[in-house]
């Protein structure tokens, strides 16, 4: 199984405001392994460190201590430029509040990450529309975020995360801002992605999500307190 390991955290700590009176130990000595092509869930109460951990794995934050390995390579010492390259090429992040750009249409939001690449607007639009179509949003392609429902906004955020065809997709609380029907749709999308070999990480408390996961990591106050299967 080890050769199929994609992500490894070894003794990861994250201390916000280190050395100051309002110091927060968001993660303490977290070690874990994630297999390529698996669906991993992080569960635990609010404030337990789920977002922090996923941001560290997603190269958005750096650990205060410890190693984060991608494909066996410790990325914690990488330069900012190298980390943003990994983020751009290999990771798709779906934020809890979706973080869509209000002034842009669904397809423009979807295509935003590939603007820095040298592709024509026509190609960007084509790639975005293809993804939106796959996510059942073809008729919403020219709508702005405020004209979309929560579930639709989330699917635009998923489309944007997928535009670079990343190997890792990270979703922070994807079930918290959508209704039951959209949760079923979301699960279908995630299973489809897993079938395509993607590695999926998410935080969620939703039972139907928990049932679909390959592995569930439980966090409490910054500690990894349990690992279980559904
Ligand atoms: P969860 O996603 O499980 O709710 P978080 O990772 O968001 O947990 O937060 C873990 C702890 O770190 C919390 O106590 C939170 O208040 C704190 N925290 C998160 N982000 C910051 C930050 N940028 N600065 C200071 N403290 C933070
Ligand atoms: Mg969180």
């Amino acid at each position: 199984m080890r050769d199929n390991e994609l992500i490894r955290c070894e003794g990861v700590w994250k201390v916000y405001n280190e050395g100051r009176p309002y110091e927060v130990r968001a993660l303490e000595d977290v070690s874990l392994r994630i297999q390529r092509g698996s669906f991993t869930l992080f569960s635990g109460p609010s404030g337990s460190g789920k977002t922090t951990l996923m941001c560290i794995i997603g190269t958005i934050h750096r650990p205060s201590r410890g190693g984060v390995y991608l494909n066996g390579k410790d990325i914690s010492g990488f330069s900012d430029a190298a980390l943003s390259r990994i983020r751009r090429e290999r990771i798709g992040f779906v934020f809890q509040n979706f973080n869509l750009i209000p002034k842009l249409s669904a397809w423009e939001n979807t295509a935003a990450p590939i603007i820095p690449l040298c592709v024509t607007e026509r190609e960007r639009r084509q790639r975005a529309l293809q993804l939106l179509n796959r996510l059942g949003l073809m008729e919403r392609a020219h709508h702005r975020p405020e004209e979309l429902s929560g579930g639709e906004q989330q699917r635009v955020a998923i489309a944007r995360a997928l535009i670079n065809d990343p190997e890792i997709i990270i979703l922070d609380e994807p079930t918290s801002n959508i209704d039951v029907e959209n949760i079923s749709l979301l699960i279908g999308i995630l299973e489809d992605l897993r079938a395509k070999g993607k590695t999926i990480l998410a935080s969620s408390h939703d039972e139907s999500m928990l049932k679909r996961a390959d592995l569930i990591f439980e966090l409490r106050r910054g500690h990894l307190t349990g690992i279980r299967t559904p």
Side-chain angles (χ1 to χ4, degrees):
M1 284 294 270
R2 195 186 156 84
D3 49 318
N4 211 13
E5 172 189 289
L6 177 60
I7 298 160
R8 177 158 42 108
C9 294
E10 272 185 11
V12 165
W13 288 66
K14 181 67 181 177
V15 185
Y16 291 109
N17 307 313
E18 193 154 17
R20 278 177 269 170
Y22 37 92
E23 169 176 300
V24 180
R25 290 174 166 193
L27 294 175
E28 295 187 44
D29 200 21
V30 171
S31 299
L32 57 81
R33 287 176 176 182
I34 294 170
Q35 302 292 311
R36 193 184 311 276
S38 64
F39 177 17
T40 301
L41 270 187
F42 295 97
S43 83
S46 171
S48 57
K50 305 180 295 293
T51 298
T52 300
L53 182 55
M54 291 195 300
C55 284
I56 286 175
I57 293 171
T59 75
I60 291 173
H61 292 337
R62 285 172 187 277
S64 307
R65 267 195 264 159
V68 180
Y69 296 77
L70 261 188
N71 268 331
K73 233 186 248 164
D74 188 1
I75 60 164
S76 42
F78 278 23
S79 67
D80 287 347
L83 288 180
S84 62
R85 180 158 177 197
I86 290 177
R87 196 154 60 235
R88 205 168 52 233
E89 295 179 351
R90 299 178 58 188
I91 296 165
F93 217 103
V94 180
F95 297 93
Q96 184 167 9
N97 51 7
F98 315 137
N99 283 8
L100 297 175
I101 301 165
K103 275 196 288 201
L104 300 184
S105 69
W107 86 260
E108 289 166 327
N109 265 287
T110 302
I114 54 171
I115 289 177
L117 310 181
C118 294
V119 287
T120 61
E121 173 169 338
R122 193 195 154 106
E123 190 185 333
R124 286 205 301 271
R125 183 198 298 248
Q126 197 181 354
R127 276 170 66 176
L129 291 179
Q130 237 168 30
L131 269 172
L132 291 172
N133 188 34
R134 213 172 102 195
L135 298 176
L137 282 174
M138 204 52 180
E139 272 118 64
R140 298 286 179 273
H142 297 278
H143 292 227
R144 277 180 284 114
E146 63 174 16
E147 302 166 327
L148 301 172
S149 73
E152 289 167 342
Q153 287 182 37
Q154 181 181 64
R155 288 199 289 285
V156 175
I158 293 173
R160 181 181 57 186
L162 296 178
I163 193 93
N164 278 333
D165 196 26
E167 57 183 314
I168 302 171
I169 298 132
I170 301 177
L171 306 97
D172 196 5
E173 307 279 358
T175 51
S176 66
N177 288 323
I178 58 171
D179 58 28
V180 182
E181 211 170 295
N182 278 297
I183 290 176
S184 312
L185 264 172
L186 171 71
I187 288 170
I189 292 165
L190 297 182
E191 300 216 305
D192 183 43
L193 289 169
R194 179 169 46 177
K196 291 188 164 75
K198 305 293 184 189
T199 304
I200 302 164
L201 278 58
S203 55
S204 180
H205 304 282
D206 185 81
E207 272 307 317
S208 48
M209 284 278 278
L210 289 165
K211 269 190 258 166
R212 297 313 212 290
D214 295 307
L215 211 55
I216 302 160
F217 289 111
E218 285 167 358
L219 288 164
R220 291 273 182 289
R221 296 169 163 264
H223 293 267
L224 185 62
T225 53
I227 304 176
R228 62 186 174 94
T229 49

